[in-house]
Amino acid sequence: MKKLWFVCLAILGLVWACGKSPADVKNAALSADKRAEALLAQMTLSEKIAQIQNYAYPTIARYVDAKGNVNADSLKKYFPDGIGGFNIAFGLDPEVYVNVANSLQKYNASTRLGVPVVLVGEGLHGLMSNGATVYPQAIALGSTWDTTLLEKVYSATALEARVRGISQLLSPVLDLGREPRFGRIEEMYSEDAYLVGAYGRAAIYGFQGRTSLPDSVHVAATLKHFMGHGMPEGGRNIAPVNVSGYDLLNEHLLPFEMCLQAGAMAVMPSYNEINGVPNHGSQWMLVDVLRGKLGFSGLITADQNAIDAMQTTHHIVDSPDDAARLALTNGIDVDLVYTSGTFSRLDSMVKQGKIAVGLIDKAVLRVLKLKFQLGLFENPYVSAERMRQFTNTPAHKELALQAATESAVLLKNENNVLPLDTNKVRTVAVIGPMAKGCHFGGYTAEPRQGVDLVDGFTQFGGQKLKVLYAEGCKIATEESSFWVDKVQTPNSDEDDLRLINEALKVAAQADVVILAIGENVAFAREAWAESHLGDRANLDLVGHQYQLVAALQKLGKPVVAVMFGGRPLSFNAVAQSVPAIFQVYYPGQEGGHAIANLVFGVSNPSGKLAITIPKSVGQLPCYYSRKPSRLRSYIYNLGSEPLYPFGFGLSYASFSYGKPTLNKTEMAADGQLTLSVSITNTSQRTGSEVVQLYIHDLTSTGVRPIMELKDFARVEIPAGQTGKLSFRITPDKLAYYNPAYEKVIEPGEFEVFVGSNSANLQSLKFTVK
């Protein structure tokens, strides 16, 4: 009987394959689905399995010569059926990179079916590759509130990737930044779901373009990390996420919904377990929600070695075979591995009857479809000349400067210390452990090249401004690095005291002190091993930075603090004593230029916080959109308010808001209404204001947050003029998943808020019938 069953299956397969002509594979007029089906019909099992594995560069490094040519005989030995996906080392010289890319495509073209390889890279804040343009880190880009700018940044990133041969980027990150202890918070745009979704959607349009399929200068985007990844237990990387299904659907899912509606082509689950089930093996997460509720039919790629981790870390299966089967069963299409992974065992698993070929076929079809959609069968090769032409161009540098400028948040400007006047300030002392060296954050190629703070002020001042420098103190004794497996060693008290005294002597000669403090990338990064930590137990300034600040304050000089780092730090003493403060996080390759321009008023600050800055780690969680029952204060906690609230940011201009109005006070569940508000620039300087709209459902079946951002507009208003803005309140801004996990709009009264930040709002009420 069993034999008869296999014969029937073989006959059915033959009948299906007969309708798939080999000519269909080359017919570009056919849909990607049809071409993928035609190609799958010709593939052997081993050829299929080759397509659903993505390897990293160490697999072939010893077979690559100095110019980037890969030994084809060696590839044939290890990859006889071709290479499905590949990550080329980001640190390679750009021209070597191009040669490796072309070598891999040439090798694949020589295999029986000639299926091209999809080259995969990272594009969190610019292409992670040697020589590419580096934009501000994601946590800084989140402070721009400028989706038009982000679309341009990611369009430029896609171009620099595609000219190197990369056609899929593992970006954007859609995690909610609600756990500042977590070292990967630097990769997150915001604590707010709607804002993250708006940025993610801009990234999708930038990466993939606004046409139905990416063209030759765009790439496939990969949404990550699905989902809840931004709140690991204790802020520790890959720790469990303790979030209810109700909150996952209402908060963490929203950015993915918004980005899938924009056409995102791929999704990556996170390493975490949620409610006892690792995301890579979760039927509820991947099948019921992602494939079911959201209707996603695109590619799901595993995070690196995350399928193996279901056995080695989570211990929910006994063997790699079981891990592979669980992943495929729940819709994982690609095994992203360092050198080898569980999908390499699929051939023997099929022969042993442990897994059905049909599961593999589904994954292979999605991989092949993506390759056809990307045009790789027609244009797999790239040229070094074109790569040079479009890498880190003057236009991209200008874009990086704009991004660094718009991402800087002016937190304090007591007595209008800023902007500085070049006619009055002749000598500037740039002091602090973050003053020298480019601070880019994680997922950036090294060595880092760009304009640091000292160089920025030096180039700005030219012959008119004297710039002095002193380190002030050290954050740690080692050079910071995202990639080096080394836990930093604190500097000695004696050496830091020496450096502080040197800084005081330098500062005494200056008219103004620019104080560069915070943390470097070695203290805020992805913690993938005990030798590569990046999560923190507190949010204080590390080392002797507070002592440096206090000592400089005693000189009586004006001090402008520039806060660097990959997370919001609790710098209470700085906030209380320093008259002017900028939060810049990691500002990218043009950061030095941007900060100098801002300090001297060439540019006007316009950034707004996208993540709340808490007063202490004891306030966590501290995100603004809290549930109403989180209302009690701690004993002696300096009040319940954060150090700086979500949406906050100052400008050299000043703005006043008129009284908002609604065009009506009732709307149907499928209707809409409009809120209008006027904003007047009451200063003598043109400036940009970010107007924010929040909504709260006053009574609901499930508990809702006290307010949620549902729209915003960045508007430039000339000095002395008034602008009028209108926001449409539509059903999607009112809907939520109720406790039964049904998406509904419940009738009743709602409150809508509008203003300059989450703590400075006016409100109106309306009713949904």
Side-chain angles (χ1 to χ4, degrees), residues 173-191 196 224-243 248 251-253 255-256 269-274 279 535 611 620-621 623:
V173 171
L174 302 184
D175 306 320
L176 304 188
R178 296 184 170 184
E179 177 45 275
R181 292 174 295 179
F182 187 20
R184 300 193 72 173
I185 195 171
E186 63 162 350
E187 303 173 31
M188 304 169 201
Y189 299 120
S190 174
E191 70 189 42
V196 170
K224 63 183 193 183
H225 306 86
F226 192 77
M227 62 180 168
H229 184 247
M231 296 183 68
E233 188 178 79
R236 303 184 188 197
N237 190 38
I238 76 169
V241 172
N242 299 309
V243 179
L248 281 170
E251 299 176 19
H252 301 266
L253 184 65
F256 291 92
S270 70
Y271 287 107
N272 308 79
E273 62 164 272
I274 293 181
N279 288 1
D535 309 321
I611 297 179
L620 301 181
Y623 53 89

Side-chain angles (χ1 to χ4, degrees), residues 618-638:
Q619 280 190 320
L620 301 181
C622 199
Y623 53 89
Y624 83 93
S625 55
R626 64 173 175 83
K627 297 290 183 64
S629 57
R630 186 186 5 127
L631 52 86
R632 298 282 182 262
S633 300
Y634 293 107
I635 297 173
Y636 305 137
N637 191 237
L638 306 176

Side-chain angles (χ1 to χ4, degrees), residues 10 64 88 94 101 113 137 147 154 255 293 406 417 434 473 604 689 757:
V64 183
I88 299 176
L113 295 176
Q137 179 58 288
T147 55
Y154 289 115
K293 284 185 181 295
E406 289 191 17
V417 169
M434 303 298 287
C473 65
N604 192 354
E689 171 70 332
N757 64 71

Side-chain angles (χ1 to χ4, degrees), residues 42-61:
Q42 302 172 53
M43 300 180 83
T44 64
L45 177 60
S46 59
E47 287 170 335
K48 293 174 182 178
I49 294 170
Q51 289 300 308
I52 57 176
Q53 296 179 87
N54 188 304
Y55 290 92
Y57 190 71
T59 313
I60 66 164

Side-chain angles (χ1 to χ4, degrees), residues 52 61 172 199 203-204 249 284 425 518 589 612 650 742 757:
I52 57 176
Y199 288 145
I204 299 305
L249 293 181
W284 181 80
V425 175
Q589 69 177 47
T612 302
L650 302 175
E742 302 162 331
N757 64 71

Side-chain angles (χ1 to χ4, degrees), residues 559-769:
V559 176
V560 179
V562 182
M563 304 297 305
F564 290 84
R567 57 168 58 87
L569 296 168
S570 299
F571 47 89
N572 295 277
V574 178
Q576 292 164 9
S577 63
V578 175
I581 305 171
F582 272 106
Q583 173 66 262
V584 299
Y585 297 113
Y586 297 130
Q589 69 177 47
E590 302 300 322
H593 286 149
I595 295 166
N597 288 341
L598 286 162
V599 166
F600 280 98
V602 174
S603 303
N604 192 354
S606 61
K608 300 267 191 174
L609 292 177
I611 297 179
T612 302
I613 299 180
K615 287 177 180 173
S616 73
V617 73
Q619 280 190 320
L620 301 181
C622 199
Y623 53 89
Y624 83 93
S625 55
R626 64 173 175 83
K627 297 290 183 64
S629 57
R630 186 186 5 127
L631 52 86
R632 298 282 182 262
S633 300
Y634 293 107
I635 297 173
Y636 305 137
N637 191 237
L638 306 176
S640 298
E641 301 78 18
L643 189 59
Y644 292 100
F646 175 83
F648 179 81
L650 302 175
S651 168
Y652 297 149
S654 56
F655 305 94
S656 68
Y657 282 67
K659 186 176 181 180
T661 60
L662 290 169
N663 68 328
K664 53 186 178 181
T665 57
E666 291 186 355
M667 66 174 278
D670 59 351
Q672 65 179 42
L673 53 80
T674 302
L675 180 145
S676 300
V677 64
S678 61
I679 304 97
T680 301
N681 184 338
T682 58
S683 70
Q684 300 302 308
R685 176 164 186 161
T686 296
S688 293
E689 171 70 332
V690 177
V691 185
Q692 302 160 39
L693 181 136
Y694 301 81
I695 292 178
H696 172 53
D697 189 348
L698 292 176
T699 305
S700 53
T701 304
V703 179
R704 307 298 299 129
I706 59 169
M707 68 174 76
E708 296 174 284
L709 182 75
K710 290 298 179 182
D711 211 341
F712 62 92
R714 181 185 173 95
V715 57
E716 182 177 89
I717 305 175
Q721 294 191 22
T722 298
K724 187 173 183 179
L725 283 177
S726 293
F727 295 99
R728 290 191 308 129
I729 299 175
T730 50
D732 60 292
K733 294 180 171 64
L734 308 178
Y736 83 110
Y737 288 95
N738 66 17
Y741 295 176
E742 302 162 331
K743 198 162 194 180
V744 297
I745 300 174
E746 295 182 335
E749 196 171 23
F750 289 75
E751 190 169 14
V752 58
F753 309 82
V754 66
S756 60
N757 64 71
S758 63
N760 184 19
L761 300 166
Q762 301 179 70
S763 69
L764 294 167
K765 294 179 181 178
F766 65 93
T767 301
V768 173
K769 295 295 187 180

Side-chain angles (χ1 to χ4, degrees), residues 253-268:
L253 184 65
L254 179 61
F256 291 92
E257 285 186 285
M258 294 171 68
C259 290
L260 290 178
Q261 289 167 6
M265 302 176 79
V267 172
M268 174 185 284

